[in-house]
Amino acid sequence: MTGGEAIVRMLLAHEAGPMFGMGGFQLLPFYDAARRLGLQHSLINDERLGAFAADAYAKVTGRVGLCDATLGPGATNLVTGLVEALNAGSPMVVIVGDSHRAHSWKNMTQESRQIEILRPACKELIRIEEIDRIPELIRRAFHVATSGRPGPVVVDVPEDVCHGMTSFSPSDFAADPRHVAAPALRCRPAAGDLARAARMLTEAKRPMMLCGGGVHISGAAATVAAFAEATGIPVAHTMTGKGAVACTSPNNAGLFGRYDRIANTLIAESDCLFVVGCKLGEIATKRYTVPGPAARVIHLDIVAEEFGRTLVPELALWGDVRETISELAGLMQSDAARLADDRAPYIADVAARMEKWRASVQERLTSDETPVHMARMLNELNTLLPANAALIADGGFAAHWGGLLYDTKVPGRGFVPDRGFASIGYGLPGCMGAVLGKRALGDDGPVFGITGDGGFNMTLGELETARRMNLGFTLMVVNNAASGYVKALQHLMYGEGNYQSSDLRDTNYAKIVEGFDCQGIRVEKPGDLAAAIRAGMAERNRPTIIDVVVTRDPAKMLPAVDNRTVQVRKGDRVA
């Protein structure tokens, strides 16, 4: 068989698919084998968006996302999507065609130093030099993609390897079932460190958990929620950590860092912070000011290199989140009932503060102002979306507003932002990958997405793909006729009217998407939001685009319901 067929057989051995890609001559045998052998593969219109769709599929399912690209521009178009997956810990295997080795570096069409370009954008890059090593190296790709902190693995396939022929036996196409999904392998910290962590958490009067995306990578949300509730520990989260406990739980302290509800104050008052699966990056730490320098910190992460990067913890726990929390729960079991009872006033205070916060912003959550207030839009989603919905959030305002205001109703990854790289343009392909992911899990919950008009401008051609695949989801376009985040910052830093290259033309996207045979709904009044959301949930066989006309006032664009007005000095970054 050809090398291309051998690759397909190895992907199928790992129960892989769906896959997104755009073919070229180098990978034609791979595409022919995909057709004959039934690999679920779909043509994408832009390789970057194929990587985004594969990333979202991996985030929703924990399974390996797949995409491919031909050599040169196809390969280099993958970079942004690969870095998102690398930083976010999404398991992916990416097949990339390359030039014929007999003619490399002779100015072949579309030839580039793509290996050097792609290598820093992925967890590992594997180049296949011998056809008979294809099974071994594809197995290696899945092993690396699903172990430790998961990530994307690029498999570089020269033209002559893909087109070449050799013989294999059926036993060559064996796969380790542990590496079909992440995390494939789990580990726990040293027993002494776990015992010390249990003592610290038991002795603390006001402990607090700060949960990041590692909770969901580990599939540990239910475990974390049970532990927090059993021991009386409140939980704050990053954007990617939302859903570590249900946002409706009395233990939930909401988002912490740059945008918070009540969490930053609680962090300052805590006598023991348990950081769980969180890299403590710039936004989570409000540019490295939260937690304060005197905080006692236990830091749990699967990547040892994260310890001490932004703060030095008193105790570092190197291990898998789910296994480590399970072990801690066992060590603290004898004290759990007493701790929950002693901390009941503490948890009640957290819940009371959250209710006070909600009351303070209620006017904006239910605002009737026109154009539509972003807080009202998110509040309508909170009211109408069921517990098994998935909300995909594009970079910029979509993720920030969603992270601050969207409430998951059960533990789990019901909120999927692209915070690995925070790239604009994730919303549409993210919805596509999420729909396929939910199908794979047998979950019929609706998929909603939020994107900006700028992000939608970049990606709306992919509606052709979504419609061709009969994917039903609803994407809300935040239409503020601007690159809103930039314009809001320009307003804060340079004053009213001092804007440069941050305005867009006011476009009616509801009309445009009808040309793709998609359902288009334009919302200009807040009272029309609920009907539009219901119409989106009712349409399950094609995309629905809700074009929401929101405020054009840059003083009101920042992602906080209090529309904060901040006095800044030139050069400061406040949001």
Side-chain angles (χ1 to χ4, degrees):
M1 67 181 67
T2 64
E5 179 170 337
I7 295 171
V8 171
R9 290 185 179 275
M10 282 305 299
L11 295 182
L12 292 174
H14 286 88
E15 303 174 18
M19 188 171 192
F20 296 94
M22 184 185 297
F25 176 73
Q26 289 71 24
L27 292 181
L28 282 184
F30 170 81
Y31 273 65
D32 183 63
R35 172 186 60 82
R36 290 185 288 105
L37 300 177
L39 176 65
Q40 185 184 351
H41 187 287
S42 296
L43 171 66
I44 201 79
N45 287 303
D46 186 301
E47 294 89 351
R48 176 178 68 110
L49 306 189
F52 280 160
D55 173 83
Y57 175 86
K59 283 185 169 80
V60 168
T61 63
R63 302 180 186 180
V64 177
L66 294 177
C67 61
D68 67 87
T70 190
L71 86 167
T76 58
N77 278 349
L78 292 170
V79 170
T80 301
L82 288 174
V83 177
E84 167 63 35
L86 178 66
N87 291 352
S90 303
M92 286 172 54
V93 170
V94 181
I95 308 298
V96 177
D98 207 341
S99 58
H100 195 298
R101 289 175 298 171
H103 305 297
S104 294
W105 310 123
K106 292 162 63 176
N107 293 324
M108 294 187 71
T109 301
Q110 297 186 317
E111 186 178 37
S112 70
R113 294 189 176 273
Q114 65 186 46
I115 289 178
E116 297 165 44
I117 295 168
L118 296 176
R119 183 173 282 120
C122 60
K123 187 176 179 183
E124 185 166 304
L125 190 145
I126 300 171
R127 180 172 166 88
I128 300 180
E129 298 282 1
E130 298 291 338
I131 301 175
D132 58 7
R133 293 192 67 192
I134 285 174
E136 168 205 348
L137 294 177
I138 297 296
R139 268 193 300 272
R140 166 73 181 175
F142 277 84
H143 282 219
V144 174
T146 58
S147 302
R149 179 194 286 164
V153 176
V154 173
V155 180
D156 187 83
V157 186
E159 174 191 313
D160 51 305
V161 171
C162 190
H163 286 254
M165 304 277 287
T166 195
S167 297
F168 295 97
S169 65
S171 61
D172 290 327
F173 299 107
D176 186 335
R178 294 177 301 174
H179 294 282
V180 167
L185 306 172
R186 298 182 184 269
C187 60
R188 296 180 181 179
D193 290 337
L194 283 166
R196 183 181 170 194
R199 287 195 301 271
M200 291 174 67
L201 292 170
T202 299
E203 294 168 359
K205 300 298 183 184
R206 297 179 65 87
M208 190 170 180
M209 296 177 71
L210 307 181
C211 291
V215 169
H216 298 306
I217 294 171
S218 178
T223 304
V224 167
F227 173 73
E229 292 166 6
T231 56
I233 302 178
V235 177
H237 57 78
T238 64
M239 293 183 207
T240 54
K242 182 184 285 289
V245 298
C247 293
T248 52
S249 166
N251 288 68
N252 176 55
L255 193 67
F256 71 93
R258 180 175 294 163
Y259 306 112
D260 82 307
R261 299 179 179 184
I262 61 173
N264 290 355
T265 299
L266 289 168
I267 290 170
E269 296 171 354
S270 175
D271 56 353
C272 184
L273 297 171
F274 186 16
V275 178
V276 179
C278 176
K279 293 183 284 188
L280 295 172
E282 178 194 357
I283 290 180
T285 61
K286 202 174 182 180
R287 190 161 275 198
Y288 317 110
T289 61
V290 177
R296 296 189 72 194
V297 176
I298 303 168
H299 191 176
L300 166 61
D301 206 279
I302 193 65
V303 180
E305 289 80 3
E306 296 299 339
F307 301 135
R309 188 190 295 272
T310 62
L311 64 79
V312 178
E314 183 172 329
L315 176 62
L317 300 177
W318 184 19
D320 173 76
V321 170
R322 194 187 75 183
E323 294 302 299
T324 301
I325 298 295
S326 295
E327 183 77 3
L328 283 173
L331 292 172
M332 297 173 64
Q333 184 175 8
S334 60
D335 293 306
R338 175 184 63 81
L339 291 173
D341 186 59
D342 290 348
R343 292 169 181 167
Y346 177 33
I347 296 299
D349 178 53
V350 171
R353 293 191 197 194
M354 186 64 79
E355 285 307 307
K356 183 178 179 181
W357 174 84
R358 291 184 193 278
S360 72
V361 300
Q362 188 65 26
E363 180 181 352
R364 293 181 175 87
L365 295 174
T366 57
S367 171
D368 286 328
E369 66 185 79
T370 302
V372 177
H373 197 295
M374 282 285 288
R376 172 68 183 268
M377 190 184 87
L378 267 298
N379 190 55
E380 294 287 346
L381 290 174
N382 281 336
T383 300
L384 295 171
L385 294 191
N388 64 343
L391 182 64
I392 314 303
D394 210 325
F397 279 172
H400 293 165
W401 280 96
L404 181 66
L405 295 180
Y406 184 64
D407 288 329
T408 58
K409 299 175 178 67
V410 293
R413 202 169 216 169
F415 180 68
V416 185
D418 66 323
R419 299 311 299 174
F421 210 26
S423 172
I424 301 298
Y426 189 88
L428 174 53
C431 285
M432 295 164 60
V435 169
L436 293 168
K438 279 183 164 287
R439 285 183 185 175
L441 297 175
D443 180 351
D444 64 354
V447 171
F448 267 67
I450 304 177
T451 187
D453 41 6
F456 193 55
N457 287 341
M458 292 181 180
T459 62
L460 64 85
E462 220 59 71
L463 280 177
E464 184 277 328
T465 307
R467 185 65 187 90
R468 173 170 22 100
M469 296 178 68
N470 296 319
L471 300 180
F473 58 83
T474 302
L475 182 64
M476 305 182 81
V477 179
V478 177
N479 188 338
N480 55 19
S483 179
Y485 196 55
V486 173
K487 189 170 184 177
L489 292 176
Q490 289 176 341
H491 180 86
L492 283 172
M493 294 179 66
Y494 306 113
E496 184 176 358
N498 296 314
Y499 315 124
Q500 174 61 46
S501 302
S502 56
D503 287 309
L504 296 170
R505 185 179 183 276
D506 190 357
T507 301
N508 188 324
Y509 295 102
K511 288 186 176 180
I512 289 175
V513 304
E514 291 175 357
F516 290 95
D517 190 27
C518 297
Q519 180 174 215
I521 305 171
R522 187 170 173 92
V523 173
E524 298 179 343
K525 298 177 181 179
D528 296 333
L529 279 166
I533 292 169
R534 291 191 180 98
M537 284 193 287
E539 178 57 79
R540 304 306 294 264
N541 297 310
R542 61 174 180 161
T544 296
I545 306 302
I546 304 177
D547 181 15
V548 185
V549 179
V550 300
T551 183
R552 267 65 171 156
D553 183 353
K556 295 183 178 181
M557 288 181 179
L558 275 175
V561 287
D562 60 358
N563 291 323
R564 53 184 155 165
T565 54
V566 187
Q567 298 297 317
V568 297
R569 297 183 303 273
K570 185 175 180 179
D572 281 356
R573 180 173 180 179
V574 297

